[in-house]
Amino acid sequence: MLKPSHGILAFAMVGLLTGCPVNKTTLIVGTASFGNETGGGWFERFKGLPPGDSKGWDRVSEFDLYSDSGGGARPVLCNFDDDGRNEVAIGLDSLPGNGGWVQILDDESTGFAHLAWVRYRTNTIYDSNNGETRPACGDVDGDGRDELVVGGGPGSSTLLQIFDDATTDFAHLDYQLLLTDIGYLVTNGETRPVLCDVDGDNRDEIVMGLGSFHSGKGGRVAIFDDALREYRLLTELQTTWGAARTKGTGTRPACGDLDGDGLDEIVMGFGPGTKGWLEIFDDAVAVHAPIGWTRVSWTDYNDAQGETFPACGDIDNDGVAELVIGLGAYPENGGWFETQDGFDRSDPVQLLDNRDWGRLDWEEYNEFSGATFPTVGR
């Protein structure tokens, strides 16, 4: 299979937390860089719980320089206009000299047409040498429409930039968030944002995942309040896993209402070499107490790689979020992602169950790398 084919675009990415029918697209999975004749920027769409039914492929558009470079796609599903249909914001890999872009595609009613470009600008050095973007979205001001939050890769000085919803043409807001840890800011500075309502006030907080750092400082996320509270830093969480702390391991956070109480829990995924483990923290009412652990149910992958990219959302519309776990590069047998469900606080080690697997329908990519970056609509 030389190239993913574009599927029929007559489907709806309806926000799952507003009552999405199960027969609609509920999950999309992005890909890493893949420099062959297919070009880059691809992601696949699915409906239902994995393995799910593939709804076809789509990609970054109207940016030939990036597509020709073979770069990856880090998509997130967002509802920027409160019309009950999700748009797609796509973060891009490093593109030195012309990076910092996020593409926004409109919803299915327009055939996922190009809607806008948003640019994340930090400093001249980052723009020149990297320019990778890591988008997230959520309703930080409680107006019923998602805002866009963009973080960057190494060298971006922990800067998060916030863009308004579609009614203002994604205007860049004045707020720019920085972590006060100067050592991390200088030596790494990458961020992985995700938005969630951890306190039940109908405004999303911002959870900032951090990259690798020196001994004792690994396994951290920072939590910032919503727009009403001017995004003040609320707290930092650190994994209870001593080895991840000591090794300075980076985090890949996700959040969702895993227990059906109306408040989002935080899931902390980790970088390579962490054996497929993910730690779960409770909501703000419980002061983000650590709840327990879950693990990818694939021993060979865990032993060889173990990196995880979690996402959460109510795929089956039962009022409780599922956890979808994307995996890092695993050449010759990649392209996999796992879904876990069934929150059970009585088991402090293995919290989630009812597992199933999905796989990207792209044999060449799965053999080459196969890293998967899932996102679930909210």
Side-chain angles (χ1 to χ4, degrees):
M1 177 178 171
L2 286 179
K3 184 176 183 179
S5 59
H6 288 267
I8 298 172
L9 296 180
F11 61 89
M13 289 185 176
V14 180
L16 297 176
L17 300 185
T18 60
C20 173
V22 175
N23 66 346
K24 303 299 184 181
T25 294
T26 51
L27 167 73
I28 59 178
V29 180
T31 59
S33 299
F34 184 44
N36 75 348
E37 66 268 33
T38 64
W42 292 98
F43 58 91
E44 189 171 10
R45 308 177 304 268
F46 297 88
K47 71 174 182 181
L49 290 166
D53 295 327
S54 175
K55 301 293 290 186
W57 289 80
D58 216 321
R59 70 185 305 185
V60 173
S61 62
E62 300 192 8
F63 196 175
D64 290 344
L65 177 64
Y66 184 78
S67 298
D68 293 345
S69 76
R74 305 295 174 92
V76 290
L77 288 165
C78 316
N79 187 5
F80 292 121
D81 51 14
D82 192 28
D83 65 353
R85 295 185 293 266
N86 279 336
E87 291 75 46
V88 184
I90 310 171
L92 308 185
D93 285 337
S94 174
L95 190 66
N98 196 18
W101 294 103
V102 175
Q103 185 176 30
I104 300 173
L105 303 180
D106 207 351
D107 58 55
E108 51 84 25
S109 68
T110 68
F112 293 94
H114 169 75
L115 186 61
W117 286 100
V118 169
R119 198 165 199 187
Y120 168 80
R121 305 303 294 264
T122 59
N123 58 68
T124 302
I125 295 175
Y126 182 75
D127 295 343
S128 299
N129 296 338
N130 190 337
E132 178 185 359
T133 53
R134 297 170 178 176
C137 56
D139 185 7
V140 297
D141 56 10
D143 67 354
R145 297 180 294 272
D146 284 347
E147 285 70 45
L148 177 69
V149 177
V150 184
S156 61
S157 304
T158 74
L159 182 68
L160 294 181
Q161 293 183 337
I162 304 173
F163 300 84
D164 205 0
D165 55 55
T167 63
T168 64
D169 295 324
F170 308 101
H172 182 267
L173 301 178
D174 291 337
Y175 295 101
Q176 300 190 121
L177 307 186
L178 289 169
L179 199 63
T180 56
D181 188 333
I182 300 301
Y184 177 77
L185 186 152
V186 172
T187 59
N188 186 327
E190 67 175 310
T191 58
R192 297 180 185 274
V194 63
L195 276 71
C196 45
D197 186 7
V198 297
D199 56 10
D201 65 356
N202 296 314
R203 295 184 299 273
D204 283 332
E205 288 70 47
I206 300 172
V207 178
M208 176 196 287
L210 303 178
S212 58
F213 196 31
H214 63 67
S215 178
K217 290 280 192 173
R220 295 187 299 159
V221 301
I223 305 176
F224 296 87
D225 211 343
D226 54 53
L228 183 65
R229 304 297 183 185
E230 297 186 339
Y231 309 105
R232 63 187 176 93
L233 179 63
L234 292 171
T235 189
E236 292 186 26
L237 303 180
Q238 190 171 23
T239 180
T240 61
W241 188 4
R245 289 180 180 230
T246 301
K247 293 179 180 179
T249 302
T251 57
R252 295 91 168 90
C255 50
D257 184 8
L258 297 170
D259 58 4
D261 68 353
L263 306 174
D264 286 344
E265 285 71 46
I266 296 173
V267 179
M268 190 182 290
F270 300 99
T274 51
K275 304 293 185 180
W277 287 105
L278 305 96
E279 189 166 13
I280 302 173
F281 295 83
D282 213 339
D283 51 57
V285 173
V287 201
H288 303 296
I291 298 173
W293 294 82
T294 189
R295 195 180 193 187
V296 174
S297 61
W298 185 6
T299 301
D300 288 346
Y301 174 79
N302 294 340
D303 290 344
Q305 220 276 25
E307 184 173 19
T308 53
F309 294 92
C312 296
D314 186 7
I315 298 175
D316 57 6
N317 203 34
D318 65 354
V320 178
E322 286 73 46
L323 171 63
V324 183
I325 307 172
L327 307 184
Y330 194 53
E332 299 183 6
N333 195 14
W336 295 97
F337 49 95
E338 184 178 23
T339 297
Q340 300 184 7
D341 195 9
F343 198 94
D344 182 4
R345 292 177 183 266
S346 66
D347 186 342
V349 176
Q350 205 73 29
L351 287 172
L352 305 174
D353 208 344
N354 301 327
R355 299 152 186 264
D356 212 338
W357 287 87
R359 197 180 194 191
L360 295 176
D361 184 24
W362 189 2
E363 182 177 351
E364 285 190 343
Y365 175 76
N366 295 341
E367 290 289 316
F368 174 78
S369 164
T372 50
F373 310 115
T375 178
V376 183
R378 300 181 62 200

